[in-house]
Amino acid sequence: MDAIFKVLANPVRIRILTWLKDPDTNFPPMIHLPEEEKGKGYVCVGVIQEKAGVTQSTVSHYLNLMKQAELLSCKRIGQWTYYRRNEETLQKTSEYIASYL
Amino acid sequence: MDAIFKVLANPVRIRILTWLKDPDTNFPPMIHLPEEEKGKGYVCVGVIQEKAGVTQSTVSHYLNLMKQAELLSCKRIGQWTYYRRNEETLQKTSEYIASYL
DNA sequence: TGACAATATCGAAATACTGCGATAAGTAGA
DNA sequence: TCTACTTATCGCAGTATTTCGATATTGTCA
């Protein structure tokens, strides 16, 4: 839970997390994503980087932190890595605050 | 909200927050607290410091951060400063995660 | 295989946080 | 007023985080 709060203690990462709630309106379509993976909320690193306005290495680092904290999961397809939200962790975090904090 | 997550990104502060959920079982009685303020969850700095196992200056700093983030409120009575949880902020934080994140 | 594109990792400098000891400020009582 | 007690603030050293540029890795395609 400590790693989760550390992730959330950064406004850029918070924004990424909220953007990924609605990829269709926040990112261009993932044209290389195979049909069977579409509609699952996957977004590739490049477009997240562009929107976040940080360097590629920074966004890659951030996404990795978020993955370690299980706030995101990822899938590599071809030369792209697609990240999406892990709703279960988000929900558990909310519940943790509501019932344990 | 950023300040809140920064506060939560520290295990000692998390512990303090949870201890303050139930002062009666986690802290000795506040014998100097006037009758009309009892039962409101107030705990003085000294006993929090002792239980947290950090120095007085550190706990004072932490409590101040938590107050800035509105996770705690405080009242000075005599030579003691009493802190208690601000349940409203906790609840709003949980709701923020559940509905905006 | 070679060139290119996307992402990950490395190394480093700037900044922020942690947590301490020392000291200051406020309060109460003799 | 002097002293003791409680808490706040200051200054600092150690550590962690932020964020970058450079480089490595991985995958694609000609």
Side-chain angles (χ1 to χ4, degrees):
Chain A
M1 201 53 69
D2 194 55
I4 292 171
F5 288 130
K6 280 185 179 169
V7 162
L8 300 181
N10 177 295
V12 175
R13 292 191 294 252
I14 290 278
R15 263 177 251 138
I16 291 171
L17 213 44
T18 58
W19 289 334
L20 289 174
K21 271 190 91 169
D22 190 354
D24 292 349
T25 64
N26 292 304
F27 299 103
M30 297 293 106
I31 54 180
H32 298 102
L33 194 63
E35 276 306 317
E36 67 270 23
E37 299 294 352
K38 285 190 177 169
K40 294 183 178 177
Y42 282 123
V43 178
C44 70
V45 177
V47 300
I48 299 173
Q49 185 239 312
E50 204 167 331
K51 181 141 182 160
V54 292
T55 62
Q56 188 271 323
S57 62
T58 296
V59 87
S60 179
H61 181 212
Y62 281 7
L63 293 171
N64 189 48
L65 290 176
M66 296 165 90
K67 185 185 152 203
Q68 303 299 338
E70 297 183 86
L71 285 163
L72 300 182
S73 64
C74 72
K75 174 175 274 192
R76 178 166 254 261
I77 299 174
Q79 53 195 142
W80 293 275
T81 307
Y82 296 93
Y83 285 86
R84 69 171 171 183
R85 289 160 53 98
N86 183 346
E87 299 297 344
E88 195 186 335
T89 302
L90 266 304
Q91 197 195 315
K92 282 186 175 166
T93 302
S94 169
E95 285 166 7
Y96 172 83
I97 294 176
S99 54
Y100 291 97
L101 282 196
Chain B
M1 203 53 70
D2 194 54
I4 293 171
F5 289 129
K6 280 185 179 168
V7 162
L8 300 181
N10 175 294
V12 174
R13 292 191 294 252
I14 290 277
R15 262 176 253 139
I16 291 171
L17 212 45
T18 58
W19 290 334
L20 289 175
K21 272 189 91 169
D22 191 353
D24 292 349
T25 63
N26 292 304
F27 300 103
M30 297 293 106
I31 54 179
H32 296 102
L33 193 63
E35 276 306 316
E36 66 270 24
E37 299 295 350
K38 286 189 176 169
K40 295 183 177 177
Y42 283 123
V43 179
C44 71
V45 176
V47 300
I48 299 173
Q49 185 240 313
E50 205 168 331
K51 180 140 182 161
V54 292
T55 61
Q56 188 273 320
S57 63
T58 296
V59 88
S60 178
H61 180 212
Y62 281 6
L63 293 172
N64 189 48
L65 289 176
M66 297 165 91
K67 185 184 151 202
Q68 302 299 337
E70 296 183 88
L71 286 162
L72 299 182
S73 64
C74 71
K75 174 176 274 193
R76 177 167 256 260
I77 299 175
Q79 52 196 142
W80 294 275
T81 306
Y82 296 94
Y83 284 86
R84 69 171 171 183
R85 288 160 54 99
N86 183 347
E87 299 295 346
E88 197 185 335
T89 302
L90 266 303
Q91 197 193 314
K92 282 186 175 166
T93 302
S94 171
E95 285 167 7
Y96 172 83
I97 294 175
S99 53
Y100 291 98
L101 280 196

